Amino acid sequence: METTDLVLTILHHLLAFSLAGIIAAEFVLIRNELTPATLRRLMRVDRHYGMLAMLIIIIGVGRVFYGLKGWEFYVYNWVFWVKMAIFTTVGLLSIIPTIRFIAWNRQAGMDNAFRVPVQELASVRRYVWLEALLFLAIPAFAAAMARGYGI
Ligand code: HEM
């Protein structure tokens, strides 16, 4: 049904932009030295990541089954599966930063003099940078798949 497709499309785009916003916010927040206040902000931002990722999966799967083109259009399309693989990789890459943010916050809460170890911060920066880079590829594959590439 056209209205269902429209609503799912609108939600899909809003969620995709929100997720991009979360990754961008983390990218900016970890650029400088992390104060306890920045650490708390990072935690708050990061908490929304999992929630938005879950929602985008639900709405995305909804588009596959209730979208105008029908599920056969996607499941036999390799560009669709590349898009899924990139999305999954971005999700897996986000696990390490999340674990670090939680650990750093806990340590900062117990010890006022706690400073984030330079090497750990450098490694988290690399993860977030890679996440952001891969995330940029998702809309490119989405656009190609929507136009029938990969069938
Ligand atoms: C499990 C996750 C996801 C699923 C199952 C999914 C599925 C879909 C489906 C079925 C379409 C419709 C394509 C068409 O019109 O034929 C679509 C479009 C789109 N998706 Fe996703 N998606 C997912 C995640 C994402 C993410 C994380 C982004 C982030 C950028 C994204 C960006 C887009 C864009 C920009 C379009 C519109 C493409 C166009 O019409 O040019 N999707 N997606």
Side-chain angles (χ1 to χ4, degrees):
M1 199 189 152
E2 281 186 24
T3 313
T4 309
D5 184 71
L6 174 65
V7 171
L8 288 171
T9 303
I10 292 170
L11 291 175
H12 193 70
H13 281 96
L14 291 178
L15 288 168
F17 282 123
S18 306
L19 208 54
I22 298 276
I23 296 175
E26 292 192 359
F27 194 88
V28 171
L29 283 171
I30 58 170
R31 280 178 76 141
N32 301 311
E33 207 196 322
L34 296 181
T35 62
T38 314
L39 274 176
R40 281 194 297 276
R41 199 167 299 144
L42 259 175
M43 279 274 285
R44 278 201 299 275
V45 169
D46 198 61
R47 216 174 282 148
H48 292 92
Y49 188 109
M51 199 183 68
L52 284 171
M54 279 307 295
L55 286 174
I56 207 160
I57 290 171
I58 294 167
I59 298 296
V61 171
R63 289 194 77 182
V64 170
F65 289 101
Y66 302 106
L68 290 179
K69 291 174 183 158
W71 60 269
E72 299 92 340
F73 180 86
Y74 306 105
V75 293
Y76 301 117
N77 183 328
W78 65 265
V79 176
F80 169 77
W81 291 110
V82 172
K83 182 185 156 178
M84 291 301 101
I86 299 173
F87 179 65
T88 308
T89 309
V90 171
L92 291 175
L93 285 171
S94 77
I95 294 174
I96 302 282
T98 298
I99 291 172
R100 288 273 188 247
F101 297 155
I102 294 169
W104 293 341
N105 253 287
R106 195 179 308 129
Q107 284 165 281
M110 290 187 307
D111 173 10
N112 282 338
F114 173 77
R115 288 287 168 272
V116 172
V118 177
Q119 278 178 345
E120 286 183 16
L121 181 56
S123 134
V124 164
R125 278 188 189 131
R126 278 196 294 275
Y127 274 99
V128 176
W129 189 85
L130 199 57
E131 263 179 66
L133 193 70
L134 285 176
F135 192 85
L136 289 179
I138 299 178
F141 280 93
M145 139 196 122
R147 279 148 194 84
Y149 289 90
I151 294 170

